[in-house]
């Protein structure tokens, strides 16, 4: 089977996904009978490509090294905007990897709608669309008979959505609690070693884990978008990150961290979802936790999520020290699950 793909947004995650496609090419052909051809790539400021035939990903990655562009790639270079690229290319599946817009999730939501309108399956690692418009996008995809997957929106490729969907049938999610923002967790950890917040944020940026605008991490917006996406999908909420009762780590000082440590506590940015007066209530707040807490050892860039369920009690899943490969794997695993569903004729 040949799967033709358009990638909209081609920063760190998109480029790592392209590397993964190249390194797994033989495995995909041999084990899965799958040939993935990329027919379009859209970047925000470094040029875009659209082609009738598979684009040479090795060449694309080489050109983008050291700040290079795709503006003189050859006849494939296009000045089309993402929506035009989606509408004009012959892809079967669109992968949305543009950056988070915390105001309203656009234009990623529009990219996804355009792809669904064209009858494409969709994978996104962008939290915005699932945090702002999950129900609308899900209903659109269902009525058009296409797939929509989004594992990479929370905790990279760690199975959360797929875990619940595939392995917990009939189990109701009653609540959620997680350390979902790696940057804040890393910064708090560094501050407990005496480093200033500014230095720690700069280090998180060097590691490539901070958002393009790191205030989205520090002010709790990234965690708010993630807990909203989780609650919308797993608890049937229909809300947006703007409704989250949100406090980030921006006002925490090295002295606060030191006092907590001296008292045998750690400060962690915790996102939670639970039912209150018949409504799902979402919170993001720095909390002091003790060594009895399941998140005590979640340090550095690690994350964790507890699913509070009716039939299985509390289930906690940890992701230890993720890097960009784990985020790209989310897209890769969603792609394989989409292909499996296409082959089985299921949605
Ligand atoms: N900025 C995000 C974080 C990246 O720090 O968790 C992963 O979504």
């Amino acid at each position: 089977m040949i799967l033709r793909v358009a990638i909209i947004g081609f920063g760190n995650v998109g480029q790592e996904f392209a590397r993964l496609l190249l390194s797994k090419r033989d495995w995909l052909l041999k084990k899965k009978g799958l040939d993935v051809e990329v027919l379009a790539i859209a970047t925000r400021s470094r040029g875009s490509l659209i082609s009738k035939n598979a684009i040479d990903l090795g060449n694309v990655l080489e050109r983008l090294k050291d700040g290079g562009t795709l503006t003189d790639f050859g006849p494939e270079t296009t000045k089309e905007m993402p929506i035009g690229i989606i509408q004009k290319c012959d892809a079967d599946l669109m992968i949305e990897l543009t950056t988070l817009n915390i105001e309203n999730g656009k234009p990623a939501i529009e990219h996804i709608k355009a792809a669904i309108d064209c009858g494409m399956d969709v994978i996104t690692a962008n939290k915005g669309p699932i945090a702002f418009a999950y129900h609308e996008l899900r209903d659109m995809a269902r009525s058009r008979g296409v797939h929509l997957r989004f594992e990479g929106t929370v905790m990279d490729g760690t199975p959360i959505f797929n875990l619940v969907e595939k392995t917990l049938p009939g189990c109701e999610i009653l609540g959620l609690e997680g350390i979902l923002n790696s940057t804040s967790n890393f910064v708090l950890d560094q501050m407990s070693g005496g480093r200033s917040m500014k230095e720690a944020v700069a280090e998180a940026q060097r590691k490539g884990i901070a958002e393009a605008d790191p205030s989205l991490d520090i002010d709790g917006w990234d965690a708010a978008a993630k807990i909203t996406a989780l609650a919308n999908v797993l608890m049937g909420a229909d809300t947006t990150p703007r409704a989250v009762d949100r406090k980030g780590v921006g006002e925490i000082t090295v002295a606060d961290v030191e006092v907590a440590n001296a008292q045998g506590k750690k400060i962690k940015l915790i996102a939670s979802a639970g039912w209150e007066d018949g409504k799902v209530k979402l919170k993001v707040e720095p909390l002091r936790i003790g060594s009895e807490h399941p998140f005590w050892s979640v340090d550095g860039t690690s994350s964790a999520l507890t699913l509070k369920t009716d039939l299985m009690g509390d289930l906690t899943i940890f992701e230890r020290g993720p890097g960009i490969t784990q985020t790209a794997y989310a897209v890769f695993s969603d792609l394989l699950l989409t292909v499996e569903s296409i082959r089985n004729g299921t949605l």
Side-chain angles (χ1 to χ4, degrees):
M1 170 180 171
I2 297 178
L3 184 75
R4 295 164 307 171
V5 171
I7 306 177
I8 306 300
F10 202 67
N12 290 336
V13 179
Q15 291 176 44
E16 183 66 12
F17 173 67
R19 279 189 282 275
L20 199 49
L21 280 183
L22 287 172
S23 70
K24 291 283 184 184
R25 190 177 155 73
D26 288 346
W27 181 88
L28 284 169
L29 283 169
K30 275 193 205 126
K31 298 280 184 194
K32 298 285 169 188
L34 184 65
D35 189 4
V36 180
E37 292 187 348
V38 176
L39 297 192
I41 294 176
T43 77
R44 185 172 39 188
S45 56
R46 298 167 76 187
S48 298
L49 306 175
I50 185 165
S51 169
K52 288 272 167 229
N53 303 307
I55 293 168
D56 178 348
L57 291 180
N59 192 2
V60 169
L61 291 170
E62 194 54 40
R63 278 171 182 258
L64 289 177
K65 257 192 203 162
D66 306 321
T69 73
L70 304 173
T71 46
D72 61 348
F73 196 82
E76 291 102 333
T77 295
T78 177
K79 288 202 159 53
E80 287 282 354
M81 297 298 284
I83 297 225
I85 292 177
I86 292 165
Q87 288 167 340
K88 291 200 173 132
C89 76
D90 285 328
D92 310 302
L93 182 145
M94 190 275 286
I95 301 177
E96 219 295 338
L97 300 176
T98 63
T99 51
L100 170 66
N101 173 356
I102 199 62
E103 294 300 320
N104 53 24
K106 293 179 182 174
I109 292 173
E110 310 305 334
H111 299 160
I112 293 178
K113 286 184 178 173
I116 294 173
D117 274 339
C118 294
M120 292 179 193
D121 295 307
V122 173
I123 292 171
T124 183
N126 184 334
K127 296 152 270 238
I130 307 304
F132 281 94
Y134 169 64
H135 294 282
E136 186 189 2
L137 296 174
R138 181 202 58 190
D139 293 349
M140 263 185 89
R142 277 187 189 158
S143 68
R144 194 67 172 75
V146 298
H147 303 90
L148 171 65
R149 301 205 79 87
F150 40 80
E151 189 60 72
T153 56
V154 179
M155 284 173 74
D156 311 298
T158 308
I160 303 293
F161 298 109
N162 295 337
L163 181 88
V164 175
E165 180 193 327
K166 302 277 179 195
T167 68
L168 292 170
C171 211
E172 204 178 324
I173 307 298
L174 306 175
L176 302 158
E177 188 178 51
I179 293 182
L180 302 176
N181 181 255
S182 295
T183 301
S184 300
N185 203 49
F186 174 78
V187 164
L188 290 171
D189 217 17
Q190 293 281 305
M191 285 167 74
S192 85
R195 220 163 179 192
S196 73
M197 179 167 298
K198 202 170 162 203
E199 283 169 346
V201 170
E203 178 67 22
Q205 286 179 301
R206 277 194 292 278
K207 282 177 165 291
I209 54 165
E211 294 298 302
D213 170 3
S215 70
L216 293 181
D217 297 295
I218 297 308
D219 295 342
W221 280 116
D222 176 76
K226 287 169 176 164
I227 196 72
T228 308
L230 288 165
N232 284 346
V233 178
L234 301 180
M235 296 176 70
D238 192 2
T239 186
T240 80
R242 317 298 303 182
V244 176
D245 182 359
R246 174 189 52 84
K247 187 162 184 227
V249 299
E251 285 169 18
I252 292 175
T253 62
V254 171
D256 294 331
V257 176
E258 282 169 355
V259 169
N261 290 354
Q263 294 169 349
K265 306 274 183 195
K266 289 181 183 175
I267 301 178
K268 296 283 178 196
L269 185 69
I270 304 223
S272 62
W275 289 95
E276 246 178 67
D277 303 327
K279 278 191 172 166
V280 177
K281 174 92 185 130
L282 305 180
K283 271 191 213 159
V284 171
E285 57 187 336
L287 292 177
R288 289 152 58 101
I289 62 167
S291 57
E292 74 293 345
H293 197 285
F295 297 164
W296 176 254
S297 64
V298 182
D299 290 329
T301 59
S302 299
S303 332
L305 178 70
T306 298
L307 303 166
K308 297 166 192 274
T309 79
D310 59 345
L311 303 177
M312 280 296 296
D314 286 4
L315 296 172
T316 300
I317 183 157
F318 295 93
E319 181 182 32
R320 292 279 179 217
I324 198 73
T325 307
Q326 281 81 347
T327 315
Y329 173 72
V331 179
F332 188 73
S333 63
D334 273 349
L335 184 143
L336 290 175
L337 290 174
T338 303
V339 167
E340 193 181 297
S341 297
I342 294 170
R343 285 177 166 155
N344 294 338
T346 53
L347 262 187

